[in-house]
Amino acid sequence: MSKLKTRLTDLLGCEYPIIQTAMGWVADPKLVAATCNAGGFGFLAGATIPPEEMEQAILETKKLTDKPFGVNFHMYQPNAGDIVDMVVRHGVRAVSYSRSPGKKMVAQLKDAGVVCMPTVGALKHAIKAVEMGADAVTVQGGEGGGHTGSVPTSILLPQVVDALDVPVVAAGGFKDGRGLVSAMAFGAEGIAMGTRFLMTSDSPVPHKTLDRYVNTTNPANVIISKAIDGMPQRMITNELLGKLEKAGGTKRLIMALTSGLAYRKYTGVSVFQLLKSAVQMRGSGDLTAAQSIMSANAPMVIQKAMVDGKPAEGVLPAGQVAGVINSLVSCEELIQEIVQEADERLSKLSQLVS
C-alpha cells in the first residue's frame, strides 16, 4: 500500500498525488487518459482547441478512461463560457486556469461540484485565488516551463503552504519520486509536471520535436525569454528564439499580426474577440502592441513545433528538468517509477528518524 494518500487524492479521486498539466497542443485525450489510467490525474488543454473540438476531446477522453480527469482553459478566452457549460454537463471532475479568473465562472463551477485548481506563480496570487473560491492551488516556481516567475520552487512553495489552508500542489522542477517526497516535505500534497509528461511515449508531440527535448542535456539551455509575448517564458533555445531575440519592433509586430490571423482562422473568433483577448492579457498595461497581440496568439507559434513537427520554426516550452531527462517511458512506467521511488525514500527517511 502506497503512503502517498493526501487531501489532493481525495479531492480529485485519483490514486496518486501526481498531476499532468495541460500543455497546449500536447495534453490531448490520449495523454490525459494514459495518465489517469496509471493512477495520476490529467488535465486536457482547452486553451488551444475550438469549441466544437473541445467537447469531442472530453468525450474521447471518457472513452479512453473511466477515471476522473480535468480541463484547463483561460477564463478570458472567447469560448470560456462554452467550456464551463461543457465541463458541468459532462461531469468533468476539475478545472485548472491561470490569469484573469472570472468570479461568476468560478461560482458556477463550484455550484456544480467541479474542483477549481488554478495555477499561480506568486504568493499574492495564491491568496487571491483561494479568496475567489479555489479548492486547491498549484504553485509553479521559476524552474517550470512556459510562462513562469523568477522565484524558485524551494522558496515559493513553503510561503504558499504557510499562507493557505487548501491543498497546495508543487510545480516547477519535478520529474521523479525524490521530487515528490521533497515537495511533501515542504508541505505540498502533490506535484504537477508538464515537461516530464510531454517527454513520454504517450505524448502526441512529433518525434523531430521530441528529439530536441531529449537531446537537450544541459539545464542551462532551457532559458527564460520575453521575446515571444513580453512576459517571461521558459523554453529551450532554438533558431526561432534566436531570431526573435534579435528582431526589431517592426518585425515582431509583423510576426504578431501573422500569428493573430492564423489563430483567428483556426478558432473562428472575430477580430473584436481577438483584440479583446489580447487587451485582457496585457494585465499591467506595460506591453507593446506587438506583445499584446502575440500574448493572445502565441499558441500558433508553439503549434509549429508541437503539432507540425518543426522544432526550428516554433517555440519549445520546457521546464529546466528537460536537461536531465533522457528517456521516453510510458505514463504507466513513469508513474510507477515515481511511486516506487517515493515509497522507498519515505521508508529510508522513517528509518533515519527512528
Side-chain angles (χ1 to χ4, degrees):
M1 175 67 71
S2 172
K3 307 177 183 70
L4 303 177
K5 300 299 180 184
T6 68
R7 286 189 296 171
L8 183 69
T9 56
D10 292 337
L11 189 64
L12 297 177
C14 54
E15 191 172 359
Y16 307 118
I18 301 170
I19 308 299
Q20 164 250 303
T21 62
M23 301 155 282
W25 309 110
V26 178
D28 67 352
K30 180 186 174 185
L31 181 62
V32 171
T35 300
C36 296
N37 287 333
F41 191 91
F43 280 97
L44 277 172
T48 54
I49 303 178
E52 63 276 11
E53 293 185 24
M54 184 71 250
E55 185 156 29
Q56 185 56 43
I58 292 174
L59 293 173
E60 181 63 23
T61 305
K62 284 195 163 191
K63 289 181 182 178
L64 297 173
T65 182
D66 59 357
K67 308 293 185 181
F69 62 91
V71 166
N72 168 269
F73 67 108
H74 300 312
M75 291 188 179
Y76 56 75
Q77 67 189 65
N79 65 332
D82 294 333
I83 291 180
V84 170
D85 291 340
M86 290 177 202
V87 164
V88 173
R89 186 166 66 252
H90 292 294
V92 173
R93 177 61 67 93
V95 295
S96 63
Y97 47 92
S98 53
R99 294 179 294 272
S100 304
K103 279 189 175 182
K104 290 184 178 179
M105 290 186 186
V106 172
Q108 182 182 348
L109 289 162
K110 288 182 68 65
D111 287 345
V114 179
V115 176
C116 293
M117 197 167 82
T119 298
V120 300
L123 174 60
K124 64 180 180 179
H125 295 153
I127 294 172
K128 185 66 175 178
V130 174
E131 289 176 353
M132 292 184 67
D135 300 295
V137 172
T138 298
V139 54
Q140 178 176 308
E143 302 94 323
H147 288 109
T148 195
S150 58
V151 181
T153 304
S154 59
I155 295 175
L156 180 60
L157 179 58
Q159 283 186 306
V160 176
V161 168
D162 289 345
L164 305 183
D165 293 325
V166 302
V168 175
V169 183
F174 298 101
K175 68 178 181 65
D176 54 24
R178 288 181 295 183
L180 175 54
V181 172
S182 68
M184 294 174 71
F186 275 118
E189 300 193 38
I191 56 172
M193 305 183 297
T195 303
R196 189 62 192 96
F197 279 106
L198 182 154
M199 296 176 70
T200 62
S201 59
D202 292 305
S203 170
V205 176
H207 289 298
K208 281 189 178 180
T209 300
L210 281 176
D211 285 343
R212 284 289 186 109
Y213 280 82
V214 173
N215 291 326
T216 299
T217 57
N218 184 354
N221 290 333
V222 188
I223 67 168
I224 290 180
S225 173
K226 292 184 178 181
I228 302 301
D229 58 13
M231 293 178 285
Q233 287 196 60
R234 188 175 290 284
M235 62 197 87
I236 296 171
T237 55
N238 70 339
E239 294 86 341
L240 174 67
L241 182 57
K243 291 178 182 178
L244 286 173
E245 291 280 6
K246 297 176 183 177
T250 301
K251 187 173 182 179
R252 287 190 185 184
L253 179 57
I254 293 173
M255 291 182 70
L257 291 171
T258 301
S259 177
L261 291 172
Y263 181 80
R264 178 174 176 268
K265 181 179 180 181
Y266 176 76
T267 61
V269 301
S270 66
V271 172
F272 173 76
Q273 289 174 316
L274 193 64
L275 292 175
K276 181 181 178 182
S277 180
V279 169
Q280 287 180 300
M281 284 278 289
R282 288 189 69 170
S284 60
D286 59 354
L287 302 183
T288 66
Q291 291 167 338
S292 298
I293 295 172
M294 198 65 144
S295 67
N297 307 304
M300 300 310 294
V301 186
I302 297 174
Q303 183 191 39
K304 283 284 186 182
M306 300 302 161
V307 179
D308 298 343
K310 299 178 180 179
E313 301 176 28
V315 175
L316 303 171
Q320 284 186 297
V321 293
V324 290
I325 298 172
N326 55 18
S327 63
L328 300 176
V329 298
S330 68
C331 289
E332 173 70 27
E333 292 171 313
L334 172 63
I335 290 178
Q336 286 306 310
E337 287 175 1
I338 291 174
V339 171
Q340 182 177 344
E341 183 178 36
D343 282 340
E344 290 172 354
R345 293 281 171 173
L346 287 170
S347 295
K348 288 182 180 179
L349 286 172
S350 178
Q351 291 172 8
L352 286 173
V353 173
S354 61

